[in-house]
Amino acid sequence: MGVYIPVGPQHPIHPEAILLKLKVEGEQVVDADVDSSFVHRGIEKALEHKTWLQGLYLVERVCGICNVAHSTCYTLNVENLLGVEAPTRAQYLRLVVEELARIHSHMLWLGLLAHLIGFQSLFMLVFRDREKVLDLMEELTGNRITTAYNVVGGVRRDIDPALEHRVRSTLEELRGRVKRYRKLIEEDPSVRARTVNVGILERSEAEELHAVGPVARASGIKYDVRADDPYLVHDEVPFNVVTLETCDAWGRAMVRVEEVLESIDMIMYSLDHIPSGPIRKRVPPVFKVPPGEGIARVEAPRGELFHYAKSDGSERPYRYRMRTPTLANLAALVYMLRRGDRAVYVADVPVIFGSIDPCICCTARVFVLDERGSRVLNLEDLGRSRGR
Amino acid sequence: MRMLRDVLWNLFKGRATVMYPEERGSPPDNFRGRLGFNRDECIGCGLCHRVCPASAIEMENDGRGARPVFHIERCIYCYLCIEVCPTKAIKPGKEYAVVTSRKSDLVVR
């Protein structure tokens, strides 16, 4: 006899609206399901009514934390369709901002993990150090979070030597702090007690469920879009794909902390090797895109982000589709919660849930069913009844 | 226990936070804040109105021709209008606290 416990849609363990339906026997979770459809915002549809350039600023708002990944992916996609390539200096600057965003995203996650396991002083310290990265973002791009830095054809602002010096000194300081946090996570008994062997996802399971990002890498899958399908100048900037074989929440924390250190090295290398030259190719604010389809992939902090665009030759997209990393990792999350071969305790649910770095507002999608509710209608079925 | 060193050390360090309403740090030079507008320099081309992603700019006829009216409550601070303005009539600003009880404070004309 089990008891169903609904966790969410509004629940203290996560600020965003998601419903975890847990079937519990005693202290153990025996079944789980997830419903993430509470915050559908209709952004893909809204994009069809914006011009290509206006759409960039909407795409940036899909996700607050990985907005740089979204805008990079969108600009790469549109540039591909247009046949424009951003100047090399702009690509280096995009990479710098992308990695800065990865650092602040991973540090945010580390703080949240500390918060979830009740380690408030670590949470405070990590957030204090994350603020320095946000200050750098603000100075470089003009805003802390919603950077509006990438634009079709390049980037909007150049980095001057004084700012470059500040970026270097801040990151050098941050490196020491992050190494300290790495040591803490490695050795602190309270962190280990709450994360080691919690949320097990074996390598074969991660492959089967198509987990992406740090979740996959903590299960030993060496997959990173930056290395496997280089975009921007990732083929010129060396870095290691961090993988661990521990397959648990502790491994996911370690992978993210190591990635922060890798990102710091990548930014330093980029600043050393950045060529001089223009940062932007002029593209008019309202432009038409030749008919066709395009895709782009980038490695967002949470995993692989995929964008698809279809143009009918007008100044607005005909269709725009995004697959965010959390959507790819939800299947793995449900599997981790309801695996039958190991006990999963109710007290560990927040840590397991948090370990995939969930971002729910990027994830909600809508299906349109026919009247009987038996068939999912596709775009062509819907197109018959809609006028553009 | 491993945190004890950090925690003790923090007792003797200054605080990391700012007492916000009393103490206000100044944003960096690049910061994108509330924009300003010089109506005399405007030629009424309407480009800003066309590019604005948030539809925050409406065109209004003031006798000399169509002139933009900026609704700051809808502004997303992308500064696209400043970039496209041919006469630089729209000015960048650094004000970030735009909260008010009167909606008319949020209209720049």
Side-chain angles (χ1 to χ4, degrees):
Chain A
M1 260 311 284
V3 179
Y4 277 99
I5 304 182
V7 180
Q10 293 295 330
H11 196 272
I13 69 162
H14 200 254
E16 287 180 86
I18 186 171
L19 173 59
L20 297 174
K21 289 176 250 180
L22 304 178
K23 190 180 180 195
V24 173
E25 276 176 14
E27 281 291 309
Q28 292 186 13
V29 179
V30 291
D31 198 7
D33 200 3
V34 63
D35 183 353
S36 68
S37 60
F38 295 93
V39 279
H40 183 72
R41 292 178 293 170
I43 285 183
E44 287 175 359
K45 189 70 194 164
L47 276 172
E48 294 168 15
H49 302 280
K50 299 270 177 203
T51 63
W52 287 98
L53 188 59
Q54 289 174 344
L56 173 59
Y57 298 93
L58 184 58
V59 165
E60 262 195 341
R61 282 159 177 79
V62 169
C63 179
I65 302 300
C66 28
N67 72 78
V68 178
H70 275 281
S71 69
T72 309
C73 202
Y74 185 89
T75 46
L76 286 174
N77 203 355
V78 176
E79 281 166 9
N80 263 341
L81 283 170
L82 272 178
V84 176
E85 201 187 356
T88 319
R89 187 176 174 84
Q91 301 209 15
Y92 270 94
L93 286 170
R94 278 180 184 176
L95 190 143
V96 168
V97 174
E98 188 195 24
E99 296 306 320
L100 278 176
R102 192 181 318 276
I103 293 172
H104 90 67
S105 172
H106 282 350
M107 292 191 77
L108 173 105
W109 179 84
L110 186 60
L112 286 181
L113 178 80
H115 175 68
L116 285 175
I117 64 180
F119 199 166
Q120 297 299 335
S121 42
L122 179 61
F123 161 70
M124 293 287 180
L125 291 180
V126 171
F127 266 57
R128 181 191 68 191
D129 292 331
R130 172 177 179 256
E131 207 59 29
K132 292 176 186 144
V133 184
L134 290 179
D135 286 345
L136 289 180
M137 291 279 267
E138 190 177 35
E139 279 188 64
L140 178 55
T141 69
N143 220 328
R144 280 158 46 93
I145 298 286
T146 335
T147 52
Y149 190 62
N150 295 319
V151 73
V152 178
V155 295
R156 293 174 71 182
R157 284 170 186 192
D158 207 347
I159 189 166
D160 59 21
L163 178 56
E164 190 185 319
H165 181 73
R166 271 200 300 285
V167 172
R168 282 173 194 276
S169 57
T170 311
L171 289 183
E172 220 36 84
E173 195 189 326
L174 193 70
R175 198 201 302 266
R177 297 298 311 168
V178 174
K179 282 188 176 156
R180 172 89 185 122
Y181 298 138
R182 181 175 66 181
K183 197 165 157 47
L184 265 175
I185 295 169
E186 265 175 357
E187 295 176 1
D188 191 276
S190 47
V191 174
R192 288 189 69 95
R194 291 299 309 273
T195 52
V196 172
N197 283 332
V198 168
I200 293 286
L201 186 72
E202 303 288 350
R203 186 192 165 115
S204 57
E205 294 154 358
E207 275 171 357
E208 203 175 309
L209 295 162
H210 302 286
V212 295
V215 178
R217 290 196 282 275
S219 295
I221 301 174
K222 200 170 170 127
Y223 177 67
D224 188 315
V225 183
R226 290 175 291 169
D228 295 326
D229 181 15
Y231 52 98
L232 297 179
V233 283
H234 280 296
D235 44 354
E236 291 170 23
V237 180
F239 77 107
N240 298 321
V241 179
V242 184
T243 54
L244 280 179
E245 308 282 340
T246 58
C247 308
D248 57 1
W250 183 82
R252 281 161 221 145
M254 283 306 285
V255 164
R256 288 189 173 100
V257 174
E258 295 280 354
E259 276 183 16
V260 170
L261 295 171
E262 288 293 328
S263 292
I264 293 175
D265 288 340
M266 287 167 82
I267 294 173
M268 295 295 191
Y269 183 93
S270 307
L271 291 177
D272 286 338
H273 292 82
I274 187 165
S276 53
I279 57 162
R280 188 172 176 179
K281 272 192 189 135
R282 271 286 152 201
V283 174
V286 179
F287 53 86
K288 288 186 174 172
V289 169
E293 291 172 292
I295 59 160
R297 297 195 293 169
V298 304
E299 183 74 19
R302 296 179 166 91
E304 179 189 348
L305 170 69
F306 175 89
H307 276 201
Y308 162 86
K310 185 173 183 181
S311 168
D312 57 357
S314 70
E315 61 230 7
R316 292 177 169 78
Y318 177 75
R319 176 84 173 101
Y320 207 87
R321 176 100 177 103
M322 296 167 231
R323 194 191 76 158
T324 52
T326 306
L327 190 69
N329 279 336
L330 274 185
L333 169 70
V334 173
Y335 188 82
M336 283 188 259
L337 287 175
R338 70 168 173 211
R339 54 185 311 142
D341 54 343
R342 277 166 197 276
V344 176
Y345 292 98
V346 176
D348 289 335
V349 169
V351 175
I352 297 175
F353 177 61
S355 73
I356 68 160
D357 199 0
C359 176
I360 308 307
C361 58
C362 323
T363 302
R365 294 291 183 277
V366 158
F367 291 107
V368 183
L369 299 174
D370 67 353
E371 297 87 355
R372 287 190 301 275
S374 57
R375 197 169 66 89
V376 178
L377 298 182
N378 62 21
L379 192 64
E380 276 162 20
D381 297 332
L382 293 169
R384 280 185 212 125
S385 57
R386 79 169 181 180
R388 267 176 76 89
Chain B
M1 281 303 281
R2 292 192 186 276
M3 284 289 286
L4 203 59
R5 199 188 83 192
D6 300 61
V7 173
L8 286 177
W9 180 242
N10 281 333
L11 283 178
F12 303 104
K13 277 170 82 176
R15 60 165 195 263
T17 48
V18 175
M19 304 302 275
Y20 168 61
E22 290 86 36
E23 248 178 76
R24 293 181 183 220
S26 73
D29 295 337
N30 272 340
F31 183 74
R32 294 192 307 269
R34 176 185 176 139
L35 46 79
F37 177 55
N38 185 345
R39 194 165 265 242
D40 296 332
E41 291 174 39
C42 179
I43 53 171
C45 64
L47 258 179
C48 49
H49 165 69
R50 276 179 65 204
V51 298
C52 181
S55 313
I57 305 175
E58 284 168 4
M59 297 304 280
E60 200 179 70
N61 203 316
D62 70 343
R64 282 182 301 175
R67 292 289 182 269
V69 178
F70 303 85
H71 295 274
I72 300 296
E73 80 275 18
R74 279 185 243 158
C75 178
I76 59 171
Y77 304 97
C78 67
Y79 274 23
L80 216 51
C81 48
I82 293 180
E83 224 169 66
V84 298
C85 183
T87 58
K88 304 266 179 281
I90 311 170
K91 312 287 184 203
K94 279 166 63 167
E95 192 192 331
Y96 54 87
V98 290
V99 181
T100 175
S101 50
R102 275 190 317 242
K103 213 173 172 184
S104 57
D105 290 347
L106 294 175
V107 180
V108 176
R109 42 177 96 232

